Amino acid sequence: MDSKFEHFLRAVQGVWEDDRQRARAERKIVVFSTFIGTLDYLAKRLESAGIRHFRIDGKVAVREREVLLERFQTEDVPILISSEVGSEGIDLQFASVMVNYDLPWNPMVVEQRIGRLDRIGQKNPIVVVNLILAETI
């Protein structure tokens, strides 16, 4: 049992439930984590939950990242999990929900992450979910 992942999953499902109630398309969600091990963990848990996702991190070549981001925009894949490589220099205005699975020490990093979604062409209000749970790291 992982209370942090369970809260994360409830938050994601809550976003999509809200979309269904409002009869709108499922919003795309970008999930940031600082740690590669956490991305590995999230990928396994999302797969186990049957939730399709893409992943970018420093191990993914720049050209492959570009292809994955294009696919994330155009395909029916609701989640992108990303390390800090996704927090600078890319445009994600087609997504409108951001989850900070873990928070960086520097608050400007959070602002940079938000800035990926808060771009010209953004059509929806941006929702930011910060996972902060008692008795967790």
Side-chain angles (χ1 to χ4, degrees):
M1 177 71 173
D2 176 359
S3 60
K4 187 172 185 177
F5 184 81
E6 296 303 320
H7 277 74
F8 162 71
L9 194 55
R10 280 198 298 277
V12 165
Q13 291 169 335
V15 166
W16 294 330
E17 179 59 32
D18 182 58
D19 292 338
R20 282 188 291 278
Q21 288 177 357
R22 295 173 188 247
R24 65 179 173 203
E26 210 171 67
R27 285 175 279 179
K28 300 262 184 180
I29 299 172
V30 180
V31 181
F32 284 104
S33 176
T34 304
F35 307 104
I36 296 294
T38 303
L39 292 176
D40 293 340
Y41 174 76
L42 286 172
K44 286 179 192 173
R45 293 295 304 261
L46 289 169
E47 287 169 17
S48 294
I51 298 173
R52 294 185 62 206
H53 65 280
F54 289 122
R55 172 185 176 162
I56 60 172
D57 60 47
K59 295 178 185 177
V60 179
V62 173
R63 180 66 189 127
E64 187 179 347
R65 280 184 227 158
E66 293 169 355
V67 169
L68 288 172
L69 292 172
E70 171 131 354
R71 290 182 61 201
F72 179 54
Q73 181 176 1
T74 59
E75 294 181 16
D76 187 26
V77 175
I79 292 182
L80 172 71
I81 59 175
S82 177
S83 68
E84 295 307 321
V85 300
S87 67
E88 294 180 11
I90 62 173
D91 298 328
L92 297 171
Q93 67 270 21
F94 53 86
S96 61
V97 179
M98 183 185 83
V99 176
N100 289 302
Y101 198 82
D102 49 46
L103 285 169
W105 288 103
N106 184 344
M108 285 310 297
V109 174
V110 175
E111 290 296 322
Q112 285 179 312
R113 290 173 176 182
I114 294 169
R116 301 306 93 213
L117 283 67
D118 189 15
R119 321 266 319 150
I120 293 174
Q122 178 56 260
K123 294 181 170 104
N124 298 301
I126 296 171
V127 175
V128 177
V129 177
N130 295 315
L131 292 176
I132 306 166
L133 300 173
E135 300 182 32
T136 67
I137 295 174

